[in-house]
């Protein structure tokens, strides 16, 4: 049996940075070649980044992607890497993209992959199964491919597939079996979701059985607006054995030798299976010898605990958002409460303490422990700390206008927002807002107040998970002999907005251990009132919570992006009309 | 030839208000019957409103739609309207909606229509062509129907179709010809776009020829978040003759007698044409006599001038947003400039002067003419006017923080935002923000400052069109012998943000008559740099403008909804990644 040394390049491209992304391919192809790889693969839409959304409709953008692909093939050869077959995702098109009812059937943009070898593009493949649910809108943007590309590399027949091709039954993997391939390459831009790594391995095993072939699954890593790609690249053989698995949330070169069956079918002919054409190409019948020594073993990384996984996802999402948008630093308000403490700890883990500014913004309602806890957090993490009292500004508004009740509460939050934005304007920091997902769901925040900010590290984190994360992060620090970043009293005290005397969250909301399960059922699970009541929740509390969620849509529309970690984050995959009279409770 | 008296019910339902929408059907069916109608038709998704977006995924919502449909059939009969066939759009489903890769093929939610007669549902139809571009995401939500429903009514064969079925060639209208129908009903939720009425009539004519049948096209009217439906319902015969046409932007009962060929085909059998099954049902071979006298003639409304059309669209979109969300009134800042003046005039036209509060928010940089022009606008329109000077609050911020330059400019805008939100909290007004589309495109605004507000009447209106609208509205008032609402000096003076001494928009932006054509090409037309330069624009200005647009994405994400009038409004149909390194100028 031929042995092929695969290099799965789990890298972090940036949407739109075609030049930078192509440079990344050259650098990592060099590393792969140095490790003796005989085939290197890069993620879905590597050259453009993913998702490109409406950039697809820009002809100049599609043209730039195609030009970059051909230039990359030439550059790899000029780099002395022409012998290494490199599979790379890119954006292609035949005809204008579909933007109206007048679209020509079968014409449009393609989510494409190209195999580069000898300075040229030797084969291309167009994604067949297009996902159009959750964060995906690919039916809007792409036309489905109707051919499976099979390339002979070192005497092994290798099929090319892209992401969703793996998630749906039938299509490319079934056709790969009929084409008699030994290896299927699957390149991905597969975003992280809590526990998604538990789904992927069984799925890859199922498709390996369906294709009767080894699968090399490479995924993107890194943050892109609300999405974070977790990597988790892997190789699974035809029997379902996991051969190698990369760590999540870091760039990684996974190099592993796989034994593969020699090709049996002739190249050429007009094969069709399951309504897909089979298109064959050839790179080589015999492999060039691998310059690497011995046997390459990629190793198998075991998944980590939920809290560790979420923490890493949030850190990476935040770091890439700040760095890819070229912000030097971040600023956030520190109330002494748990949300801002966890957000600050995430920011320090993502960027280092020197790039994080924490601001205590006390009012006359701020408790002594709030100021102390904020200062303690700053001391433990080493972030830059300062104090900006809000009372003089609040008093001036109150002296010049006739305001009372909730208006005065919101006013305090808005003065804080103005101060943070002034610091952002003056010093160049990105403002972090720190409202958790439970708050966002029920609208328990001040629009243009505590919701002010360019990015929200905990936007998709339920309040009860915030507490779990805080405890995990502190325990993890202790395990390593480091200082736990989050003051224990920030974790233990009852949540309060501190906008009026003695105020507690529980004055306005059910306790979070009651609230969160209802929200999870309603938002993540699309359960209705009856389904929630049948799950054992108190009908009166269900009605109260659902009404709050239904009427908070407008605030969520005006909220900052933040890393998505669940099935349904507010934003692209939780879209509801603002004007909407539907109420579960009638 | 049989004559059928049709009633096209051009009405304004609200998303989610299933009970209210069903009540609207009963009231308008009564009006139709009183006018002697023998067949009444209502818009697409009449019972749920359109678009329902992720409400589709709520099983309880789908169940409520189905229950309401059957209850409506019974209620109509109880109302004495059981003899009148009524076609109504509703949401149906077989199996769970598609929300993941695991969806069962062909199962899911349906964009449906039902013909109600004699207290029962006598026929249903599932939309075949699903639009998935622009504001439409129907591939996400619905499964396509594969059967054409033909109902015999008064001896005439009538095909049922929905909206997009009309916009794409092939499918239902081609099958309708093969089914030998005399009439095709097409029910719509077709949003307004500038000049869309010029496209609809030729399109209906083309499909009438394709089907060889008369078409009755009924459209929704009214605002739903960013969409505004314009009505424009019409009847066109098989020769392409326009028989009747309803006015735009108002509810309207269009009653018209049409002569139709008698049915030729037998009812029953297993017919298939163009991969669609033909399903036949029967209401009656002979019509009950119409109680109406003489011949009903619906009349043909001629389209109005562009400016009048846009003005009506913006007024209706604003009024329905405010009323459907149950706000008692609106408040907006009046700077004396053209954007706030046009917005105020729109608000007064939409809601009446008693529901509009205008606030002058002068600073030390506000010119005398700004205050005078704001006051003059208030006097002309009769809106409630008040003055809230911002300088004391600005001065307190400046005394307590070290701020300079643009930060101080933004601070003034943010203090204004805090004041408007305080008035909103205290008195219950919805805040209107008034940034035009040109400003939004290039990011020439202060986040959490002048962008504060729940709705933006001019969000999708380029600056040059704002001026045209102002001049048209004033001239129209003069034509009617009324006071022109907008002070001439607000129209004539050079635009300025008045945040620093002597500041003009032209210090930071190209003149608007240079800027707008570039923006229109880039945003509405998806032209790239080269395409814009080839159109004759100065390359240096193009580069400057494109860079501004590309970096303003974040501000646009945090902006208020507003009526969409163009091909690409920012929001649902102009979606770009925030982290995006693609720049047209490299």
């Amino acid at each position: 049996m031929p042995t092929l040394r695969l290099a799965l390049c789990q890298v972090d491209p940036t949407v739109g940075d075609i030049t930078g992304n192509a440079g990344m391919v050259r650098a990592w192809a060099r590393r792969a070649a140095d490790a003796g790889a005989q085939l290197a693969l890069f993620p879905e839409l590597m050259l453009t980044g993913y998702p490109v959304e409406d950039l697809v409709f820009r002809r100049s953008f599609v043209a730039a992607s195609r030009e970059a692909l051909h230039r990359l093939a030439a550059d790899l050869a000029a780099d002395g890497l022409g012998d290494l077959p490199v599979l790379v995702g890119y954006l292609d098109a035949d005809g204008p993209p579909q933007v109206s009812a007048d679209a020509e059937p079968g014409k449009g943009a393609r989510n494409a992959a190209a195999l580069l070898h000898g300075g040229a593009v030797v084969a291309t493949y167009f994604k067949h199964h297009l996902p159009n649910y959750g964060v995906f809108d690919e039916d809007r943007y792409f036309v489905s491919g109707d051919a499976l590309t099979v390339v002979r590399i070192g005497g092994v027949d290798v099929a090319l597939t892209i992401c969703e091709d793996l998630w749906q039954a039938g299509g490319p993997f079934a056709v790969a079996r009929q084409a008699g391939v030994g290896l299927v390459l699957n390149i991905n831009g597969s975003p992280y979701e809590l526990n998604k790594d538990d789904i992927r391995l069984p799925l890859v095993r199922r498709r390996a059985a369906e294709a009767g072939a080894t699968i090399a699954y490479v995924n993107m890593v890194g943050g892109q607006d609300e999405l974070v790609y977790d990597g988790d690249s892997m190789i699974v053989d035809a029997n379902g054995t996991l051969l190698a698995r990369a760590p999540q949330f870091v760039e990684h070169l996974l190099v592993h030798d796989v034994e593969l069956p020699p090709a049996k079918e002739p190249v050429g002919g007009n094969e069709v299976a399951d309504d897909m054409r089979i298109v064959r190409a050839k790179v080589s019948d015999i492999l060039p010898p691998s310059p690497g020594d011995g046997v390459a073993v990629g190793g198998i990384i075991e998944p980590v605990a939920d809290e560790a996984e979420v923490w890493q996802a949030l850190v990476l999402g935040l770091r890439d958002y700040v760095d890819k948008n070229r912000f030097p630093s971040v600023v956030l308000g520190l109330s002494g409460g748990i949300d801002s403490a966890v957000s600050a700890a995430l920011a320090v883990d993502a960027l280092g303490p020197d790039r994080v500014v924490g601001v205590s913004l006390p009012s006359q309602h701020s408790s002594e422990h709030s100021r102390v806890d904020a200062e303690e957090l700053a001391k433990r993490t080493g972030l830059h700390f300062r104090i900006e009292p809000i009372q003089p500004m609040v008093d001036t508004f109150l002296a010049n206008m006739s305001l009372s009740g909730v208006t005065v509460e919101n006013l305090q939050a808005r003065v804080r927002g103005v101060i943070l934005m002034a610091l952002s304007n003056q010093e160049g920091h990105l403002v972090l807002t720190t409202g958790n997902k439970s708050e966002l769901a029920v609208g328990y925040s001040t629009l243009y107040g505590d919701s002010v900010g360019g990015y929200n590290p905990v936007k998709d984190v339920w309040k009860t998970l915030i507490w779990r994360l805080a405890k995990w992060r502190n325990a993890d620090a202790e395990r390593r002999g480091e200082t736990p970043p989050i003051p224990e009293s920030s974790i233990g005290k009852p949540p309060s907005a501190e906008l009026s005397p003695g105020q507690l969250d529980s004055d306005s909301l059910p306790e979070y251990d009651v609230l969160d399960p209802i929200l999870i059922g309603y938002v993540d699970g699309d359960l209705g009132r009856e389904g929630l009541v049948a799950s054992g929740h108190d009908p009166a509390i269900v009605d109260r919570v659902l009404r709050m969620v239904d009427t908070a849509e407008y605030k969520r529309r005006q909220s900052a992006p933040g890393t998505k970690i669940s099935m349904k984050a507010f934003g692209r995959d939780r879209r509801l009309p603002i004007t909407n009279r539907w109420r579960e409770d009638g």
Side-chain angles (χ1 to χ4, degrees), chain A:
Chain A
M1 301 249 279
T3 298
L4 204 57
R5 181 164 296 183
L6 301 179
L8 280 60
C9 302
Q10 176 174 303
V11 295
D12 185 356
T14 300
V15 163
D17 187 11
I18 294 177
T19 306
N21 298 338
M24 191 177 278
V25 173
R26 290 170 69 179
W28 283 68
R30 160 61 57 208
R31 290 183 55 191
D34 290 349
Q38 293 159 317
L39 173 59
L41 45 158
F42 288 86
E44 180 177 15
L45 289 180
M46 174 71 210
L47 285 186
T48 57
Y50 186 88
V52 286
E53 310 217 40
D54 281 11
L55 289 171
V56 163
F57 299 136
R58 203 81 57 73
R59 280 162 202 249
S60 54
F61 187 70
V62 177
S65 166
R66 294 167 55 124
E67 283 163 23
L69 180 77
H70 290 275
R71 193 165 53 242
L72 175 61
D75 287 344
L76 286 169
D79 292 345
L81 299 168
D83 286 345
L84 176 67
V86 172
L87 182 67
V88 62
Y90 76 106
L91 174 64
D92 205 336
D94 41 7
Q98 167 169 335
V99 289
S100 75
D102 301 326
E104 205 179 333
K107 297 282 182 183
R110 304 286 195 167
N111 184 330
L115 192 75
L116 310 181
H117 185 256
V121 175
V122 296
T124 56
Y125 169 77
F126 296 152
K127 189 175 185 176
H128 178 71
H129 287 309
L130 300 175
N132 204 53
Y133 52 83
V135 301
F136 306 109
D137 287 302
E138 293 202 6
D139 280 339
R140 249 181 116 81
Y141 295 123
F142 301 116
V143 177
S144 174
D146 60 358
L148 180 70
T149 304
V150 176
V151 187
R152 184 153 306 168
I153 301 172
V156 176
D157 275 347
V158 180
L160 312 182
T161 67
I162 303 178
C163 200
E164 186 77 2
D165 290 334
L166 183 89
W167 289 80
Q168 296 186 28
F173 282 80
V175 175
R177 169 179 284 275
Q178 298 185 59
V181 308
L183 175 66
V184 183
L185 307 181
N186 183 251
I187 66 173
N188 290 266
S190 176
Y192 172 71
E193 261 172 36
L194 194 50
N195 301 323
K196 196 171 187 178
D197 52 339
D198 300 341
I199 302 171
R200 276 201 198 104
L201 178 55
L203 184 70
V204 175
R205 286 187 162 131
R206 205 152 69 233
R207 291 293 170 255
E210 189 175 353
T214 297
I215 296 180
Y217 170 102
V218 65
N219 191 16
M220 205 172 269
V221 72
Q224 175 66 39
D225 297 350
E226 298 197 325
L227 302 181
V228 61
Y229 304 98
D230 59 327
D232 193 27
S233 301
M234 65 181 86
I235 303 172
V236 171
D237 76 11
N239 300 319
T241 307
L242 178 64
L243 302 179
R245 189 173 198 171
Q248 289 177 287
F249 305 112
V250 289
E251 290 196 320
H252 187 78
L253 184 72
L254 186 68
V255 180
H256 193 85
D257 287 344
V258 287
E259 286 192 29
L260 296 166
K264 295 180 296 275
E265 305 295 323
V267 175
N270 278 316
E271 300 162 86
V272 174
D274 286 355
D275 288 332
M276 290 188 82
R277 288 176 299 120
I278 298 171
V279 175
R280 294 182 184 268
K282 189 161 92 168
V283 164
S284 58
D285 284 318
I286 300 172
L287 282 176
S290 166
D293 298 328
V295 177
V297 177
I300 296 176
I301 300 289
E302 290 302 323
V304 297
D306 279 359
E307 289 85 355
E309 195 181 271
V310 171
W311 191 271
Q312 290 170 27
L314 299 177
V315 165
L316 179 57
L318 172 57
R319 181 193 300 134
D320 270 8
Y321 191 85
V322 172
D323 286 345
K324 289 181 178 180
N325 286 302
R326 298 196 173 106
F327 284 99
S329 48
V330 298
V331 64
L332 76 169
L334 297 182
S335 68
I338 186 69
D339 296 339
S340 61
V342 165
S343 296
L346 286 165
V348 169
D349 283 0
L351 307 168
D354 254 3
R355 296 175 69 192
V356 182
V357 180
V359 187
S360 172
L361 298 148
S363 77
Q364 64 182 27
H365 302 303
S366 299
S367 57
E368 181 57 27
H369 65 75
S370 295
R371 307 175 199 217
V372 171
D373 291 343
E375 197 156 359
E376 172 68 18
L377 172 81
K379 201 185 300 171
R380 292 182 181 208
T381 57
L383 57 75
H384 297 279
F385 183 69
R386 70 173 82 166
I387 301 172
E388 297 280 358
I390 67 169
Q391 208 56 47
M393 290 71 126
V394 171
D395 288 342
T396 310
F397 277 99
L398 294 177
N400 285 275
M401 300 181 75
S402 295
L403 306 177
S404 60
V406 173
T407 305
V408 179
E409 297 185 29
N410 286 329
L411 173 66
Q412 298 165 61
R414 292 196 178 110
V415 166
R416 291 189 173 114
V418 173
I419 291 172
L420 291 173
M421 287 305 295
L423 294 174
S424 170
N425 281 173
Q426 195 71 36
E427 302 171 10
H429 320 293
L430 172 69
V431 177
L432 299 184
T433 174
T434 64
N436 62 73
K437 189 176 185 177
S438 311
E439 260 180 37
L440 286 170
V442 296
Y444 191 67
S445 68
T446 300
L447 192 58
Y448 318 123
D450 52 317
S451 66
V452 155
Y455 190 84
N456 181 347
V458 295
K459 174 175 185 150
D460 196 24
V461 186
W462 300 112
K463 183 81 173 189
T464 46
L465 181 54
I466 297 252
W467 276 306
R468 279 169 53 203
L469 290 176
K471 290 173 190 165
W472 171 84
R473 180 64 182 81
N474 274 3
D476 191 60
E478 274 171 7
R479 196 178 50 75
R480 303 191 221 193
E482 295 170 1
T483 308
I486 300 160
E488 283 306 322
S489 64
S490 292
I491 301 174
K493 66 184 161 191
S496 166
E498 295 198 332
L499 296 172
S500 63
Q503 184 179 43
L504 292 177
D505 287 14
S506 53
D507 301 339
S508 306
L509 303 175
E511 296 291 344
Y512 288 104
D513 57 354
V514 173
L515 177 64
D516 276 3
I518 296 174
L519 292 174
I520 290 167
Y522 192 52
V523 174
D524 289 355
D526 280 317
L527 282 182
R529 179 186 187 279
E530 285 178 36
L532 290 164
V533 171
S535 309
H537 298 295
D538 180 324
I541 298 178
V542 168
D543 287 344
R544 186 174 152 215
V545 171
L546 267 45
R547 186 162 290 273
M548 286 192 285
V549 177
D550 288 347
T551 52
E553 181 59 27
Y554 172 67
K555 283 188 186 178
R556 290 190 295 268
R557 288 276 174 110
Q558 299 219 349
S559 68
T563 295
K564 166 185 154 57
I565 60 166
S566 68
M567 196 167 59
K568 293 219 172 176
F570 297 109
R572 299 204 318 159
D573 49 0
R574 174 83 185 166
R575 302 192 282 189
L576 287 174
I578 296 175
T579 302
N580 165 26
R581 294 266 179 90
W582 171 251
R583 297 289 178 265
E584 284 285 348
D585 58 349

